[in-house]
Amino acid sequence: MERLSEHEKRRAAERADEASPASAPKVAMRCEARGVHKAFGGTQVLRGVDLSVPDGGFAVLVGSSGCGKSTLLRSIAGLETVDAGSIHLAGRDVTRLAPRDRDIAMVFQSYALYPHLSVRDNLAFGLKLRGVARGEIEARVREVSQMLGLEALLDRLPKQLSGGQRQRVAMGRAIARRPTMFLFDEPLSNLDAALRAEVRVDIRRLHDRLHATTVYVTHDQVEAMTLADTLWVMNKGLVEQSGPPLEVYERPRTRFVATFLGSPAMNLLDAKLVRKGAGAWLAEGADLAVPLDAERFGSSLTEGREVTVGVRPHDLCVAQQGTTELGEIVVEVVEALGFESYVHGWARQAGPSIVMRLDTAAGSVRVGERVKLAAAPDKVHLFDRATGAALTS
Amino acid sequence: MRPRLWVLVLVALACALGLANTACEDITARTIVVWHAYRGDEERAIEELASRFEKAHPGTLVELLAVPFEAYPAKLEAAAPHGHGPDVFIDTHGRLGAYRREHVVAPTPPDVADPAQYDTIALDAVSEGGRLFAVPLSTKCVALYYDVDLLPEPPATLEDLVAAKLPEGTLPLAYEANSAYFHAALLSAFGGRLLDDHGAFAFDSDAGVRSLELVHELTAKHAIPAEPSGALVTQLFASKQAAAVIGGPWLRSDLGDKVRYRVAPLPKIARSGELMRPLLTVEGAMLTPHGATRPLAVDFVQFLGSKEAAIVLATVGHQVVARRDAWTDPALAGDPVLGAFHDAVRSSVPMSSSTRMQAAWVPANEAIEKALRGEDPRAALAEARRRFDDATKPPPPPSSPTPALVVLGLVLLAASIQIARRTRLADVKASLPAYRYTAHAVLVVLVLVVVPLLAGAATSLFAGSRDDMRYVGFANYVAILTARGGALLGHGSFYLTLLVTVLWTLLNVTLHVAIGVALGVLLSRPLLKLRAAYRALLVLPWAVPSYVTALAWKGMFHRQFGAVNALLGLVGVHPISWFSRFSTALTANVTTNVWLGFPFMMVVTIGALTSIPKEVLEAAEVDGATRWQRFWRVTLPLLRPALLPAVVLGGIWTFNMFNVVFLVSGGEPDGETDILVSEAYRWAFTRDAQYGYAAAYAVLIFGLLWLITRATRKWQGAGT
């Protein structure tokens, strides 16, 4: 109930704000990282990363733990020094500048609110430091607290706030500064699932309103997919692929990117390429034969080539009359989620587990049943077995 | 174990104890307990005598116990009147007055000592009212040691000594000029005394003034060292930086073979035409009332006073024995130093054994210190008389304890009624097991903390010295709070001392916190290499006992030979006499205490810093804070909750920091740097045991600190 009323409050505030020019967008700036290298002790964490975010863009750095995304973010902020490479903000080389001179605001994973200051003082801290006039400070604090629904909390201390409220104060603190760039370091990971979903939307809404350049780090692919203008998938200190989220999702360039995005993960199958006739190719493995679109892969198709086939669970379906069958699986586990189910089975007893998404409306399967699988050829991905790179024409 | 086994064990234990008891009783009957304050050669002498006695009386055991000199009276007075403690003890005649009063010493039985065999002057010292209270063993007074390489002949007068031709930088004479004990010799040359025959202060005479003028002259002429101490004068003579030193027989072992010296009785003072007569202390063997009833103990005392024993004391212990016929022995006749001291005794003056003598030392010392600093001697002596009279003021008349007892009774009654009303039997029964767990701890705390506290508070309602305590209600408190009828901010007044204490505490705590926090922050920055080494170095002041540190710093602040003045001299600063002005003496004390105290704050800070999340400081950095702003606006406020209890504790400890004040400045100049707790000490231990008065001081200090702590709590509570 409480959330709902806050929600409404915010809507009202936004409507009011839209009328006033107080939150007019500031001139945003490009952010670029070129060839950044960083090592901690003996471990090389960043191996030459390039990043480019346009004015007002929302870039999301995503990857598993230890891939270097937080380090890259902190390097952009200036909290870490880079061993090689450079950082440019609004065309300026800021590699040697202290964080306080880069005009950025950061929201930390643990919010890092000042425990001894009230919410109001937390919001005003950065402004006071920069000698902003008292009237201006009050105006901005009011504006930000209205924006984020914090009016009732202004005199409380951080320890008297809930997790979600603290998160909003952390964002408010960043927003009040009106910086030219926002940096978010996994800000939602300490919230519960429902709150996470709600705040995610709020962040996107705020970004659209403020038009500020944002770099956002997360390990959660749902956040990555929903928030990003550009997605940057990182693995072991390098950017494996970047681009709009849907593109990265539908056309992964490496096996890692393919399996990282999408839940449940893409099914991977070790297979060999087999030519079945003129322009008809199959990838055979684990008692399955996957038909391939020869045009799509072009000259990468060679007889006997060892590949990994990838098909997302959502792209598998029960074979109907007239569709090309891939093979048969024996159902082992059925995860019923209400509107859909995930069916786990194996084609070969000792082979890999295949996961298929099944729409509840389309029927149900039972454990032990034999199900025939089919997939649209354009949804099949091929990766080189050794390098993991996607096969293209 | 099974019950039967338990019984067996207990029976066996009982038998063993019984046997041991009977054995003990047997031994006790044949044991004499002897206390003494000897060390070194003198201790070896007494041990030799004890073993000779044991051989002469087979089956007997002479149990010797060496007791530190300062603790002697207290221990004796605690044990002897109740029949415990020694049978025989060896002590100075100066304490006889107090011992008689406390019934610690019994008259020596007749026929134990033949008066004809001892030096008259020694006998007189240990007799009172015609009765002998000790067998005189040795006589101690100071004489002149002179370096034969620098002074081939002993000087005839003090002026001759001062005018002697000596190498550059050598002092003619070194002696503890600031001690009344040594000054008494000069005083006597002018015909003066410290106390007169009735126990009244006699130093403030014309003789006293002239003697002080002389000493001031000597210091100003650099004929004697400034700020002397026993260790300093010994070291100066031993290193040939002084041609002569005034000292007693005890100096011999300290000098050893370092210098070729001879001893002569103190010379005359040409100005007055009279000899310098040193004070004489006589050591004698005394019997406790309990010991006087035991023939074995009496025999031992007689043996100690024999010629044979005197020879041992003189040859092994290097004592100047009081036994006349011992001096004919070739061993003694062949020791020129001993012989010289024996000569010196002839012109000495026995120290008064009046109990008021105890109260004379401090005022006399203070007057001498003032004169050495160049202040008017007459005024200094008048002030000394005033302080002596004040210290020996008779206690207020006893008042009836009835009203207090009635009030106490009512309070206890009210408290019991309250407790009875509040407790419910069921609750008590339910908590019984818990009481079993806590009972012993509560008991220990009660006995070790609460009871002494209450006893101390009760003592404050009594006045008078040890044997003469009478209940006076709140008279002590009234006396303290009215500054004993003197000026509210006069010397020794409670309020002045309170102001000094508050100033002392504020200065120290401020510096402790500032330096401790600064270093704590510095040491926790990861960039500083060798962090562990730095930490160890800085904790060192904390680990060395404060007593040792205080004495080391005191030495460093010595005007002439101290390291601080030497270092300041390198940058061209004139040597400062640290302990002659309040400001500099306070600086010396504060420096020492800050050295001792900052590690505590530093360690607290380092601990508290680890609880500040790194990300909060990073957030501040991103928000635009410089390093200083991060420290001032984020780190410091977050340190406050941890620092506040540390500051309160540190404040309380500093408020009561007896060690540093007593050992470094010793209250100098003239008691001005004394804090409440050292002032209380003086009342208890240097002004004739005014325990009740000192206890009242202690209760007042406790009350003050309690109020301050409560005020701080309120302030802390308001801040969060």
Side-chain angles (χ1 to χ4, degrees):
Chain A
M1 278 299 113
E2 191 212 40
R3 279 203 207 109
L4 217 54
S5 59
E6 279 176 12
H7 199 90
E8 282 169 15
K9 233 190 283 177
R10 263 180 273 133
R11 280 225 172 274
E14 276 158 56
R15 263 178 260 134
D17 269 318
E18 262 145 20
S20 82
S23 58
K26 209 174 151 179
V27 174
M29 60 160 150
R30 294 178 63 73
C31 165
E32 270 178 36
R34 294 180 199 153
V36 175
H37 287 74
K38 175 77 185 169
F40 288 109
T43 327
Q44 192 72 21
V45 176
L46 294 174
R47 296 166 200 268
V49 171
D50 295 312
L51 179 78
S52 173
V53 188
D55 291 352
F58 198 121
V60 175
L61 304 178
V62 74
S64 42
S65 311
C67 67
K69 53 193 193 296
S70 282
T71 311
L72 181 60
L73 189 78
R74 289 167 64 86
S75 305
I76 297 173
L79 295 171
E80 305 284 358
T81 52
V82 298
D83 297 337
S86 59
I87 315 277
H88 299 255
L89 299 175
R92 267 191 324 163
D93 185 343
V94 298
T95 324
R96 298 265 170 268
L97 279 187
R100 55 189 298 265
D101 298 319
R102 297 194 188 192
D103 196 21
I104 49 165
M106 190 154 161
V107 179
F108 292 83
Q109 184 175 356
S110 63
Y111 322 130
L113 299 180
Y114 305 115
H116 59 293
L117 298 177
S118 66
V119 168
R120 180 179 288 125
D121 290 332
N122 261 282
L123 296 176
F125 189 79
L127 301 172
K128 275 205 203 112
L129 283 178
R130 287 175 202 269
V132 175
R134 186 133 52 111
E136 173 70 13
I137 295 182
E138 274 170 32
R140 286 208 211 173
V141 168
R142 207 174 333 136
E143 176 196 340
V144 166
S145 50
Q146 272 174 0
M147 204 191 288
L148 297 169
L150 297 170
E151 295 108 312
L153 309 172
L154 284 175
D155 292 313
R156 290 207 203 160
L157 288 176
K159 65 182 179 201
Q160 297 165 310
L161 302 173
S162 72
Q165 290 166 335
R166 283 186 218 174
Q167 214 272 346
R168 277 185 275 147
V169 175
M171 290 209 292
R173 185 174 63 181
I175 295 170
R177 293 248 328 275
R178 303 241 187 102
T180 44
M181 194 157 108
F182 285 102
L183 303 173
F184 289 86
D185 189 355
E186 304 202 41
L188 304 183
S189 45
N190 288 357
L191 300 175
D192 62 77
L195 202 52
R196 217 182 293 166
E198 190 184 318
V199 180
R200 212 171 61 214
V201 175
D202 289 338
I203 292 180
R204 184 73 219 192
R205 203 187 285 135
L206 272 170
H207 166 82
D208 291 339
R209 213 168 106 200
L210 298 173
H211 299 288
T213 315
T214 307
V215 178
Y216 187 105
V217 163
T218 181
H219 63 270
D220 184 295
Q221 36 139 343
V222 177
E223 276 171 43
M225 292 289 294
T226 56
L227 290 173
D229 290 341
T230 333
L231 200 58
W232 298 74
V233 183
M234 288 183 68
N235 186 29
K236 298 204 182 95
L238 287 169
V239 175
E240 286 218 352
Q241 188 173 354
S242 68
L246 277 181
E247 186 188 304
V248 177
Y249 181 84
E250 285 172 0
R251 277 184 284 284
R253 266 191 241 134
T254 67
R255 193 167 47 207
F256 173 78
V257 176
T259 48
F260 189 81
L261 295 174
S263 177
M266 184 187 280
N267 289 301
L268 290 178
L269 214 60
D270 284 339
K272 255 206 191 108
L273 292 178
V274 171
R275 193 195 202 118
K276 265 305 191 260
W281 284 84
L282 286 179
E284 288 183 349
D287 284 2
L288 292 172
V290 185
L292 302 169
D293 185 349
E295 255 179 60
R296 221 173 112 205
F297 298 111
S299 52
S300 346
L301 297 175
T302 52
E303 176 79 38
R305 185 171 182 177
E306 292 195 334
V307 295
T308 307
V309 181
V311 187
R312 296 196 186 274
H314 290 65
D315 297 326
L316 284 174
C317 53
V318 179
Q320 306 291 346
Q321 291 285 59
T323 52
T324 329
E325 230 180 76
L326 307 175
E328 209 176 59
I329 57 164
V330 177
V331 176
E332 208 182 10
V333 177
V334 177
E335 294 180 299
L337 292 166
F339 55 94
E340 62 185 7
S341 313
Y342 295 126
V343 178
H344 301 249
W346 38 265
R348 180 194 294 165
Q349 183 116 32
S353 184
I354 313 282
V355 185
M356 178 182 78
R357 179 195 166 275
L358 194 62
D359 211 350
T360 312
S364 65
V365 293
R366 286 189 308 268
V367 174
E369 235 182 81
R370 290 184 167 270
V371 177
K372 292 191 194 312
L373 294 177
D378 62 330
K379 300 286 188 195
V380 172
H381 303 268
L382 281 183
F383 305 98
D384 183 85
R385 179 96 62 87
T387 64
L391 264 52
T392 51
S393 59
Chain B
M1 272 205 294
R2 299 201 331 269
R4 219 173 280 173
L5 215 49
W6 268 114
V7 173
L8 272 170
V9 168
L10 282 169
V11 169
L13 234 101
C15 287
L17 281 169
L19 277 169
N21 201 28
T22 25
C24 274
E25 272 169 15
D26 243 354
I27 295 176
T28 328
R30 294 173 291 123
T31 306
I32 344 173
V33 179
V34 180
W35 284 10
H36 65 90
Y38 290 144
R39 289 169 314 169
D41 288 339
E42 292 180 318
E43 188 169 18
R44 287 194 297 126
I46 193 81
E47 284 169 354
E48 165 75 21
L49 288 175
S51 73
R52 285 197 193 188
F53 186 80
E54 283 172 350
K55 286 204 193 86
H57 296 73
T60 46
L61 185 64
V62 177
E63 197 180 286
L64 288 171
L65 180 65
V67 181
F69 189 66
E70 293 76 24
Y72 219 18
K75 285 179 110 76
L76 273 173
E77 284 154 20
H82 306 288
H84 306 301
D87 300 304
V88 177
F89 63 99
I90 300 173
D91 205 348
T92 62
H93 80 278
R95 292 177 175 163
L96 267 176
Y99 288 160
R100 282 189 64 198
R101 201 178 57 184
E102 299 292 320
H103 305 294
V104 164
V105 68
T108 314
D111 302 331
V112 166
D114 176 10
Q117 296 300 335
Y118 303 94
D119 287 331
T120 322
I121 199 171
L123 281 172
D124 285 342
V126 295
S127 309
E128 278 188 33
R131 281 191 301 176
L132 200 63
F133 280 90
V135 174
L137 296 179
S138 66
T139 51
K140 284 195 170 112
C141 71
V142 295
L144 191 74
Y145 287 73
Y146 59 100
D147 189 332
V148 291
D149 292 331
L150 299 169
L151 296 167
E153 291 298 323
T157 67
L158 183 62
E159 284 82 348
D160 283 346
L161 174 59
V162 171
K165 270 212 173 43
L166 294 169
E168 182 76 39
T170 309
L171 294 162
L173 175 65
Y175 80 103
E176 293 177 60
N178 53 7
S179 162
Y181 175 77
F182 287 83
H183 186 76
L186 279 90
L187 181 61
S188 65
F190 289 94
R193 297 170 65 180
L194 285 173
L195 288 187
D196 68 13
D197 290 328
H198 308 287
F201 200 67
F203 193 3
D204 58 332
S205 53
D206 283 337
V209 174
R210 290 174 70 194
S211 68
L212 288 181
E213 282 168 350
L214 174 62
V215 184
H216 174 65
E217 260 179 56
L218 290 174
T219 316
K221 260 200 286 204
H222 298 294
I224 56 176
E227 293 183 17
S229 68
L232 181 67
V233 304
T234 314
Q235 191 235 330
L236 286 172
F237 186 69
S239 59
K240 291 179 103 74
Q241 287 174 276
V245 66
I246 297 180
W250 54 82
L251 213 53
R252 257 176 111 167
S253 45
D254 289 334
L255 289 175
D257 295 323
K258 294 187 201 132
V259 180
R260 288 193 334 133
Y261 63 87
R262 288 214 198 100
V263 178
L266 295 177
K268 278 192 202 169
I269 295 185
R271 194 178 292 197
S272 71
E274 294 291 331
L275 263 184
M276 286 198 277
R277 293 172 175 278
L279 287 176
L280 178 76
T281 48
V282 177
E283 278 175 3
M286 307 177 190
L287 286 159
T288 54
H290 169 69
T293 62
R294 301 185 59 208
L296 210 53
V298 178
D299 283 346
F300 186 66
V301 168
Q302 190 167 33
F303 170 67
L304 285 178
S306 66
K307 177 179 174 190
E308 177 195 347
I311 293 176
V312 171
L313 287 173
T315 47
V316 178
H318 303 295
Q319 291 187 348
V320 181
V321 292
R323 178 104 191 178
R324 284 200 194 143
D325 49 6
W327 290 97
T328 56
D329 185 275
L332 273 73
D335 187 339
V337 173
L338 220 55
F341 274 108
H342 196 218
D343 288 337
V345 169
R346 260 185 261 136
S347 53
S348 64
V349 176
M351 204 154 64
S352 162
S353 61
S354 155
T355 52
R356 290 164 74 92
M357 191 70 218
Q358 257 283 72
W361 293 118
V362 170
N365 285 342
E366 288 169 348
I368 298 173
E369 288 275 7
K370 281 195 191 146
L372 286 175
R373 282 199 296 271
E375 290 177 39
D376 174 34
R378 204 168 279 278
L381 286 171
E383 177 64 19
R385 164 178 276 268
R386 199 193 64 77
R387 290 178 195 177
F388 177 82
D389 288 341
D390 189 42
T392 51
K393 202 156 69 170
S399 56
S400 165
T402 324
L405 287 174
V406 168
V407 170
L408 185 66
L410 284 173
V411 166
L412 284 174
L413 192 64
S416 339
I417 292 174
Q418 272 288 64
I419 293 174
R421 254 211 241 143
R422 291 250 208 99
T423 11
R424 290 183 307 191
L425 202 58
D427 282 347
V428 173
K429 275 211 176 126
S431 316
L432 224 48
Y435 289 138
R436 240 189 294 148
Y437 280 113
T438 54
H440 58 293
V442 171
L443 205 66
V444 167
V445 169
L446 262 173
V447 168
L448 290 180
V449 177
V450 178
V451 169
L453 208 69
L454 292 174
T459 312
S460 67
L461 299 174
F462 292 77
S465 38
R466 258 184 312 253
D467 64 329
D468 185 32
M469 300 273 262
R470 72 277 293 272
Y471 174 82
V472 289
F474 290 112
N476 280 332
Y477 292 96
V478 171
I480 295 175
L481 291 173
T482 57
R484 288 174 80 79
L488 266 187
L489 290 178
H491 174 270
S493 117
F494 171 76
Y495 298 102
L496 182 65
T497 320
L498 176 62
L499 279 175
V500 172
T501 313
V502 169
L503 176 66
W504 156 258
T505 308
L506 284 175
L507 274 175
N508 272 298
V509 172
T510 313
L511 285 169
H512 282 171
V513 172
I515 297 178
V517 169
L519 283 173
V521 170
L522 231 79
L523 280 187
S524 60
R525 275 179 62 216
L527 297 174
L528 208 58
K529 300 267 161 58
L530 301 173
R531 207 154 86 232
Y534 276 109
R535 274 193 186 165
L537 270 174
L538 284 169
V539 174
L540 211 62
W542 202 15
V544 174
S546 63
Y547 191 108
V548 174
T549 305
L551 288 176
W553 278 98
K554 184 190 175 74
M556 288 205 278
F557 278 110
H558 189 271
R559 189 189 171 283
Q560 215 166 343
F561 302 102
V564 175
N565 274 350
L567 284 173
L568 288 176
L570 287 177
V571 291
V573 177
H574 206 62
I576 303 174
S577 192
W578 290 95
F579 300 112
S580 66
R581 277 202 317 275
F582 174 74
S583 53
T584 47
L586 189 68
T587 308
N589 283 351
V590 169
T591 310
T592 310
N593 199 39
V594 167
W595 168 262
L596 282 171
F598 80 83
F600 175 66
M601 290 295 165
M602 184 186 77
V603 169
V604 168
T605 308
I606 291 179
L609 280 173
T610 59
S611 72
I612 299 179
K614 190 174 74 139
E615 285 194 338
V616 173
L617 289 169
E618 283 180 346
E621 202 179 340
V622 169
D623 268 350
T626 60
R627 203 176 296 153
W628 168 253
Q629 282 170 323
R630 286 205 295 278
F631 173 74
W632 188 250
R633 288 170 179 264
V634 182
T635 311
L636 214 51
L638 290 176
L639 282 180
R640 209 179 78 146
L643 275 182
L644 215 51
V647 166
V648 170
L649 268 178
I652 292 177
W653 291 335
T654 307
F655 201 85
N656 280 339
M657 178 46 85
F658 178 80
N659 284 7
V660 170
V661 170
F662 189 75
L663 292 172
V664 177
S665 76
E668 290 298 311
D670 199 36
E672 283 172 23
T673 50
D674 263 333
I675 57 177
L676 283 173
V677 85
S678 58
E679 182 71 19
Y681 168 86
R682 294 189 198 285
W683 278 109
F685 299 109
T686 65
R687 293 183 193 145
D688 200 27
Q690 305 271 15
Y691 291 145
Y693 201 77
Y697 251 98
V699 171
L700 280 173
I701 294 173
F702 174 77
L704 275 168
L705 287 173
W706 184 71
L707 281 171
I708 293 174
T709 315
R710 278 194 59 141
T712 323
R713 277 264 186 82
K714 276 224 180 87
W715 178 60
Q716 179 181 19
T720 49

